[in-house]
Amino acid sequence: MLCLGIETSCDETAASVVEDGRVALSDVVSTQIDIHRRWGGVIPELASRNHLLQVMPVIDEALSRAGKTLEQLDCIAVTSGPGLQGALLVGLQVAKSLALAAGKPLVGVNHLEGHLLAIRLAADAPEPPFLGLVVSGGHTTLYEVPAFGTYRRLGTTRDDAAGEAYDKVARLLGLSYPGGQPIDELAQRGDPKAIRFPRALRGDDILDWSFSGLKTAVLQHVQAHGVPTGQALADLCASFQEAVADALTKKVMLGAKKVGATQLVLCGGVAANSRLRSLAQERAEAAGLTLFLPPKRLCTDNGAMIAVAGTEAFKRGVRSELSLNSDPSWRLGA
Ligand code: KG4
Ligand code: ZN
């Protein structure tokens, strides 16, 4: 079974052909990061315009690298939300046009379901039930996944997403956008105990996060001491990173205990973070949980994860009408 996945919800134009929901025959990602970097964040209209330029070449490339034609596909999956409205519409309209022209079924996919199922492309992938933490630039939510297509929200951020905190702190420190990777790299040379940043919502009965207080604490530190350089910058990054990784993994372990989970998946751009990965491994082992970490390139946005989620939905009988609309704030699960 062959599915073409198309992703244009934010700042990557991506397409991929996936076989049987497990094997990416191609995975083409055209990133707009260089375009948005000079503005320090994603500019929605620029994103839409660039998707429009890139989407057809990216899809052509995905088909040709997979050695497949449109006619050989079983379905076409596309991110229809959540994300930037104008950006979503580009991928959605192209997917509809291709589905109509080639006479193929269309499947609208929730971007977050894509992140949760990206692990299916790794050699070692869990079958449900599992617990999945989606931690990206726009989302920080813990899901219980009893079966494909069923998602229960256990906890979420009450303000900033973890990736958003990374990007805002990076900006404060004069580091480039997106901030996750530069902070991660600096943190590896720093002392995570140098500054004790706050952890919010510490109660064991709360599965939610809050990162705005942490962001403010970094701002206050910079206001008091100036923007650090050299070792002090590395120490600040390591201390911030420790606070994020500690808060994320603590609540995930609480959630696992609460629902009796035995398998855990981390996904989304921030799941590429070195400290989050090592601390999650440490705490999962201590709790007797099996942790599944997608390779870093499957953590950030890609078309293959959309094809995987599309394949699973297709197998459940999901078909979208050609009148399918985008839903910029589509919430996954109850
Ligand atoms: O999943 P993604 O590509 O896009 C969204 O759906 O948001 O995630 C992008 C986010 C950005 O905020 C970026 O700073 C963060 O992932 N990120 C990281 C790392 N690599 C990317 N955050 C922390 N450490 C990293 N190594
Ligand atoms: Zn994403």
Side-chain angles (χ1 to χ4, degrees):
M1 137 121 221
L2 286 178
C3 179
L4 170 69
I6 302 171
E7 155 65 38
T8 66
S9 69
C10 190
D11 59 351
E12 336 278 353
T13 317
S16 159
V17 178
V18 168
E19 192 168 43
D20 299 329
R22 288 301 306 270
V23 181
L25 302 181
S26 62
D27 186 7
V28 181
V29 179
S30 164
T31 182
Q32 304 177 2
I33 283 177
D34 287 343
I35 294 165
H36 299 291
R37 181 168 285 139
R38 56 187 293 225
W39 308 100
V42 178
I43 305 294
E45 182 172 335
L46 283 181
S48 311
R49 287 172 183 272
N50 282 284
H51 284 310
L52 206 52
L53 293 174
Q54 293 300 324
V55 70
M56 286 315 299
V58 163
I59 291 171
D60 282 344
E61 184 75 21
L63 287 167
S64 86
R65 280 195 206 170
K68 302 292 177 192
T69 61
L70 270 183
E71 289 64 41
Q72 289 172 287
L73 299 174
D74 294 285
C75 69
I76 297 176
V78 61
T79 306
S80 54
L84 301 169
Q85 174 70 294
L88 288 165
L89 288 175
V90 175
L92 188 56
Q93 193 53 41
V94 166
K96 286 185 191 185
S97 308
L98 293 178
L100 178 66
K104 301 293 176 183
L106 176 74
V107 181
V109 167
N110 185 301
H111 181 83
L112 304 177
E113 183 175 22
H115 275 304
L116 281 168
L117 300 194
I119 189 69
R120 302 285 299 161
L121 296 158
D124 189 20
E127 295 295 327
F130 59 82
L131 212 62
L133 174 70
V134 182
V135 63
S136 70
H139 302 271
T140 300
T141 303
L142 182 63
Y143 293 93
E144 189 184 7
V145 185
F148 292 127
T150 308
Y151 304 95
R152 289 192 202 115
R153 288 161 57 103
L154 295 179
T156 194
T157 180
R158 296 189 183 174
D159 40 56
D160 292 352
E164 195 179 346
Y166 263 93
D167 297 339
K168 286 177 177 169
V169 164
R171 197 172 177 164
L172 259 173
L173 298 175
L175 303 173
S176 69
Y177 173 85
Q181 208 176 327
I183 290 182
D184 195 353
E185 280 165 17
L186 283 161
Q188 293 179 31
R189 296 192 273 110
D191 174 8
K193 294 198 176 82
I195 308 162
R196 177 73 197 174
F197 284 125
R199 274 65 160 165
L201 309 176
R202 298 175 68 128
D204 276 5
D205 51 335
I206 306 171
L207 284 181
D208 289 346
W209 293 272
S210 164
F211 292 108
S212 69
L214 173 59
K215 182 187 62 192
T216 306
V218 176
L219 173 66
Q220 285 167 344
H221 184 89
V222 168
Q223 282 170 339
H225 303 94
V227 176
T229 55
Q231 189 58 41
L233 176 62
D235 287 347
L236 192 156
C237 289
S239 303
F240 165 76
Q241 177 145 299
E242 192 64 21
V244 175
D246 180 37
L248 287 172
T249 49
K250 261 208 186 108
K251 298 295 180 182
V252 170
M253 296 307 146
L254 273 176
K257 201 166 153 198
K258 186 176 167 195
V259 302
T262 58
Q263 307 190 100
L264 170 64
V265 173
L266 301 192
C267 58
V270 183
N273 184 259
S274 62
R275 184 55 183 147
L276 176 60
R277 291 170 87 93
S278 66
L279 192 56
Q281 190 66 55
E282 216 174 274
R283 289 184 172 169
E285 260 167 43
L289 282 168
T290 310
L291 175 67
F292 296 85
L293 287 170
K296 292 183 184 179
R297 44 164 290 281
L298 286 178
C299 291
T300 45
D301 290 348
N302 62 82
M305 69 185 200
I306 302 306
V308 173
T311 301
E312 290 303 328
F314 183 84
K315 288 201 285 194
R316 295 194 302 273
V318 175
R319 304 287 183 273
S320 300
E321 301 288 330
L322 287 178
S323 57
L324 177 67
N325 203 350
S326 64
D327 184 349
S329 49
W330 184 6
R331 185 170 155 148
L332 181 69

